[in-house]
């Protein structure tokens, strides 16, 4: 069983690998799959910014590529240890495959602030809405 502290530590480790030459704001994420596997991601900035990979999206992409579709928690850490939460784009990305009760652990340096995905993104878009538009 992966503890919250271990998951945040994995996000910090991923943060150390970030490539953020334009913003200087390194971010790492660690996504806990239901089976206990941890997938890491870090931000990878591109000069165009539209092609930038966010840490949470990178971790989710690695998990999906490995065949995972069920998740229990995600931890996010920045080099600043400032309690960064997933941005709106990443919240919606996580909502694609994660339930509202996905635990979101944010590194505040000397502790962990916990949210649920539903608290951070109430009323997330869903596949049901797309089906209704067809």
């Amino acid at each position: 069983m992966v503890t919250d502290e271990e998951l945040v530590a994995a996000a910090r480790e991923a943060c150390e690998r970030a490539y953020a030459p334009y913003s200087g704001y390194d971010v790492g994420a660690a996504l806990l799959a239901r089976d206990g596997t941890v997938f890491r991601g870090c931000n990878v900035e591109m000069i165009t910014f539209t092609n930038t990979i966010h840490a949470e999206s990178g971790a989710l992409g690695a998990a999906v590529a490995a065949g995972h579709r069920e998740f229990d928690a995600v931890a996010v850490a920045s080099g600043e240890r400032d309690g960064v939460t997933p941005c709106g784009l990443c919240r919606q990305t996580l909502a694609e495959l994660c339930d509202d009760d996905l635990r979101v652990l944010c590194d505040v340096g000397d502790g962990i602030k916990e949210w649920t995905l539903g608290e951070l993104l109430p009323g997330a878009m869903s596949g049901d809405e797309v089906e209704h538009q067809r």
Side-chain angles (χ1 to χ4, degrees):
M1 177 82 182
V2 177
T3 67
D4 292 353
E5 291 77 14
E6 290 170 331
L7 195 61
V8 169
R12 286 179 176 176
E13 181 182 294
C15 181
E16 293 174 7
R17 297 186 180 128
Y19 175 74
Y22 308 106
S23 71
Y25 192 73
D26 298 340
V27 179
L31 182 63
L32 178 61
R34 184 106 351 115
D35 73 351
T37 306
V38 175
F39 294 91
R40 294 166 181 81
C42 62
N43 59 325
V44 181
E45 290 181 353
M46 300 295 140
I47 196 156
T48 62
F49 285 106
T50 56
N51 290 344
T52 292
I53 300 165
H54 295 203
E56 301 89 337
S57 295
L60 186 63
V64 169
H68 292 268
R69 297 284 194 281
E70 295 181 337
F71 307 98
D72 290 333
V74 63
V76 185
S78 75
E80 303 296 320
R81 307 289 189 259
D82 56 2
V84 64
T85 62
C87 72
L89 191 67
C90 288
R91 293 174 191 193
Q92 184 60 54
T93 299
L94 289 166
E96 182 74 22
L97 293 174
C98 303
D99 296 328
D100 281 348
D101 63 353
L102 176 81
R103 296 172 52 242
V104 181
L105 309 174
C106 302
D107 181 7
V108 293
D110 61 349
I112 299 169
K113 172 77 175 168
E114 182 175 334
W115 306 85
T116 65
L117 183 58
E119 289 173 325
L120 292 174
L121 186 65
M125 294 174 59
S126 71
D128 292 338
E129 292 166 348
V130 174
E131 290 297 319
H132 294 304
Q133 294 176 6
R134 288 185 180 174

